[in-house]
Amino acid sequence: AIWMTQSPSLLSASTGDRVTISCRMSQGISSYLAWYQQKPGKAPELLIYAASTLQSGVPSRFSGSGSGTDFTLTISCLQSEDFATYYCQQYYSFPPTFGQGTKVEIK
Amino acid sequence: QVQLVESGGGVVQPGGSLRLSCAASGFTFSSYGMHWVRQAPGKGLEWVAFIRYDGSNKYYADSVKGRFTISRDNSKNTLYLQMNSLRAEDTAVYYCAKDARAVAGMNTFDIWGQGTMVTVSS
């Protein structure tokens, strides 16, 4: 199985900040990477797939970049509704696997 | 409105069985592969199982292989997960999730249910 390391595990930020979350893969996955947002008590929601393609309805302040083994999720101007936990997920090979998550909390 | 609604969770003793259901609406269920993903309390996401749009192929995580069975009834727009020989480590919220791409699939999850809690405890 392909494993990933997400960093940081916890990120403290303020509304209006630019934040970046990293996801590093144990082997190259081309651009077969997705990002999800999960709020407490709710199901995850797909934000980005193919490393950089925004899912329909997702605000443009979210962006993704990277290929191969190193990927980044960026939130350009953090809003109150963005405080949540974010997961990366590879779908290059079976089984699909998730990162351990990054919690974005209010500073 | 695209929607997935899980049911069937509950408390079961170790070694017991449970069957989860996931009712789909608002999309052509028979054209999409479907997944189960679980989340233990306070933990991250773990993919559990996948079934192709026509039920022809099924895949499982090593942690549940031989104990869990995924199935679907396209005439009822419903996905199932039969869970046998349950262990304490199976305790989690179980989500059904729709594959983001029809037919061929891409193993990303664009629609999720609200989840159903399974607790394995004596």
Side-chain angles (χ1 to χ4, degrees):
Chain A
I2 297 175
W3 300 104
M4 57 273 283
T5 302
Q6 256 186 266
S7 60
S9 298
L10 178 64
L11 193 161
S12 298
S14 302
T15 303
D17 285 353
R18 178 184 179 90
V19 301
T20 60
I21 299 169
S22 172
C23 188
R24 176 163 288 179
M25 317 305 300
S26 61
Q27 66 184 74
I29 62 165
S30 184
S31 296
Y32 294 95
L33 188 97
W35 290 96
Y36 299 84
Q37 176 193 69
Q38 186 179 32
K39 297 180 180 178
K42 300 293 186 181
E45 294 185 1
L46 178 63
L47 296 175
I48 288 169
Y49 61 93
S52 61
T53 302
L54 219 58
Q55 174 71 350
S56 175
V58 174
S60 58
R61 63 181 180 272
F62 291 91
S63 64
S65 64
S67 67
T69 59
D70 292 307
F71 299 86
T72 299
L73 172 69
T74 299
I75 309 173
S76 61
C77 182
L78 201 63
Q79 302 298 300
S80 57
E81 60 267 31
D82 301 335
F83 291 99
T85 300
Y86 294 85
Y87 294 93
C88 58
Q89 179 240 328
Q90 69 80 22
Y91 53 101
Y92 177 79
S93 69
F94 253 96
T97 46
F98 293 89
Q100 72 269 36
T102 295
K103 183 177 181 180
V104 178
E105 66 169 20
I106 301 173
K107 191 173 185 179
Chain B
Q1 180 187 0
V2 179
Q3 194 174 11
L4 297 171
V5 179
E6 300 98 336
S7 60
V11 180
V12 61
Q13 292 187 341
S17 299
L18 213 54
R19 187 173 90 150
L20 307 182
S21 299
C22 171
S25 59
F27 66 100
T28 306
F29 180 73
S30 59
S31 294
Y32 288 87
M34 296 294 296
H35 302 260
W36 287 99
V37 178
R38 69 184 181 183
Q39 187 170 36
K43 302 297 184 182
L45 300 165
E46 179 188 17
W47 172 83
V48 173
F50 167 72
I51 185 168
R52 277 176 53 91
Y53 68 100
D54 58 359
S56 60
N57 290 92
K58 306 171 185 182
Y59 301 88
Y60 300 93
D62 286 345
S63 57
V64 306
K65 201 173 294 182
R67 301 186 299 121
F68 289 13
T69 301
I70 190 171
S71 62
R72 66 190 297 159
D73 186 337
N74 285 347
S75 69
K76 296 182 178 179
N77 289 347
T78 302
L79 175 73
Y80 303 99
L81 185 67
Q82 177 67 44
M83 304 185 296
N84 298 331
S85 302
L86 282 161
R87 305 166 180 168
E89 54 264 36
D90 296 319
T91 295
V93 174
Y94 285 74
Y95 297 101
C96 63
K98 170 184 165 291
D99 199 286
R101 180 186 294 166
V103 183
M106 61 189 281
N107 299 321
T108 55
F109 322 108
D110 65 343
I111 303 295
W112 297 63
Q114 85 286 356
T116 187
M117 183 70 204
V118 172
T119 302
V120 184
S121 174
S122 54

